[in-house]
Amino acid sequence: MLRLAMTTDAETFERVRGPLADRGIAIDHVQAKERALRVSGGREREGPSDADDEFDGFDAGFVYPSRLMEGVVVDARLSVPWVNDREAVLTSRNKAGVLAALDAAGIPTPRTTLVSNPVDEAVVTEAVAPFSYPVVVKPNSATRGVGVATATDLDSLLGVVDYLNLVHDYRATGDKSYLIQEFLPDARDYRAMVVDGAYVGAVERELPPDAVEEGRWKHNVHRGAAATGVDLPDRARELAERTAEALGIDYLGVDLLETDGRLVVNETNARPTVDAATKYKPDFYDRLAGLIERTAAGE
């Protein structure tokens, strides 16, 4: 039986464990953060350092750890190929890089400008000039909607930027860039899943009516939105597949926004949460198992 290492023990781990076991793939959790990790043995010897039992016997890894520093150590200990490796995670995490690559490939995206701190107010003012308010302001590397805000005029935009400047002032902050992006009102929010180049299902993420009435607009599941399985039209499926192909990522969540007949790719996620199997196509787990097997075989 093929053995797969997974560095998350949250929803995805619990949902995929049984279906993949039925297809000959055993999953075990490898803790990659909030722990102590041995880096070296501390003595002279020939060959690799003493093995850690918890890292032994794996044939492949699922998705590279989210914390890249710890990930390097875990990667060295496991010494296996990943379905989504470090490069895939880094590619998807860079929102501006993703949008630039997709735009170059002729894939529709929201109008977006990257601002690299530190800059003065004149640069921000010039950057936002081509946009109509409100605009979306978001950190370039954050996930789950963290730090994303709207600005309704120049003063409110500069207020958001002041906050980002405070955060970016800390030397340990790696990515000091943020995006100014057009706001698409009343857009329907979809997460399409692509496995090994093929669309395998999607969910629509919606806030409850009371949240919408309160003025909330971010459809992140971690912020209270519900994910409902949907059957996307061909043009949306093709857009998701083209996105995965353009980025060269085999297992990818593609976030689509649709409003006024316009369909765009807003973001991608190389560490997408797997939802209930009923929300995907019947061959979802067959395709996923096949991708894992090919990864383990080095293909």
Side-chain angles (χ1 to χ4, degrees), residues 96-113:
V98 164
L99 296 176
L102 298 185
D103 185 67
I107 295 172
T109 60
R111 182 171 196 159
T112 307
T113 294

Side-chain angles (χ1 to χ4, degrees), residues 10-296:
E11 302 101 326
T12 294
F13 179 84
E14 295 300 331
R15 288 169 181 156
V16 307
R17 195 174 191 180
L20 288 180
D22 293 340
R23 290 161 175 80
I25 300 173
I27 301 177
D28 286 300
H29 176 234
V30 173
Q31 186 177 350
K33 62 182 181 181
E34 298 176 357
R35 60 166 299 183
L37 283 164
R38 183 180 66 80
V39 175
S40 66
R43 64 178 183 275
E44 294 184 6
R45 52 165 290 139
E46 294 183 0
S49 57
D50 294 334
D52 296 308
D53 290 342
E54 67 173 306
F55 297 108
D56 288 349
F58 287 99
D59 300 291
F62 191 48
V63 178
Y64 198 87
S66 58
R67 294 189 182 179
L68 300 180
M69 299 300 104
E70 292 92 326
V72 173
V73 177
V74 171
D75 187 23
R77 287 282 172 267
L78 286 170
S79 189
V80 295
W82 297 86
V83 171
N84 277 358
D85 58 14
R86 185 174 186 269
E87 182 178 356
V89 172
L90 282 171
T91 295
S92 180
R93 184 175 292 181
N94 182 349
K95 294 180 174 65
V98 164
L99 296 176
L102 298 185
D103 185 67
I107 295 172
T109 60
R111 182 171 196 159
T112 307
T113 294
L114 173 73
V115 180
S116 176
N117 264 341
V119 297
D120 57 33
E121 289 187 357
V123 175
V124 178
T125 302
E126 182 179 358
V128 77
F131 292 81
S132 298
Y133 288 101
V135 294
V136 176
V137 188
K138 61 173 69 173
N140 187 44
S141 302
T143 61
R144 299 184 175 182
V146 175
V148 180
T150 54
T152 56
D153 53 33
L154 182 59
D155 281 342
S156 60
L157 171 61
L158 294 176
V160 173
V161 170
D162 283 343
Y163 172 76
L164 289 173
N165 288 339
L166 287 174
V167 175
H168 290 164
D169 193 48
Y170 291 95
R171 292 182 182 274
T173 303
D175 184 1
K176 299 181 185 295
S177 61
Y178 61 90
L179 306 181
I180 298 175
Q181 191 172 73
E182 66 173 308
F183 179 65
L184 301 178
D186 303 319
R188 300 184 71 173
D189 186 312
Y190 304 107
R191 161 65 61 84
M193 193 76 82
V194 179
V195 176
D196 203 14
Y199 165 86
V200 291
V203 296
E204 181 174 2
R205 300 178 292 194
E206 294 181 282
L207 288 168
D210 58 338
V212 175
E213 290 176 3
E214 292 170 358
R216 293 174 57 191
W217 58 277
K218 290 184 282 186
H219 295 272
N220 301 84
V221 172
H222 294 91
R223 293 178 176 271
T228 305
V230 293
D231 189 22
L232 292 181
D234 288 344
R235 73 175 184 130
R237 298 181 183 199
E238 293 168 1
L239 198 56
E241 292 176 350
R242 288 174 58 200
T243 296
E245 181 181 13
L247 299 179
I249 300 178
D250 290 324
Y251 169 64
L252 188 67
V254 181
D255 293 347
L256 304 169
L257 296 178
E258 183 180 26
T259 182
D260 294 331
R262 187 178 171 200
L263 184 67
V264 299
V265 177
N266 188 43
E267 294 183 7
T268 63
N269 191 334
R271 297 180 56 85
T273 298
V274 173
D275 219 305
T278 55
K279 299 177 183 179
Y280 300 118
K281 295 175 65 176
D283 66 346
F284 170 75
Y285 277 107
D286 291 333
R287 293 195 67 89
L288 185 59
L291 175 59
I292 293 168
E293 290 165 356
R294 287 193 294 278
T295 300

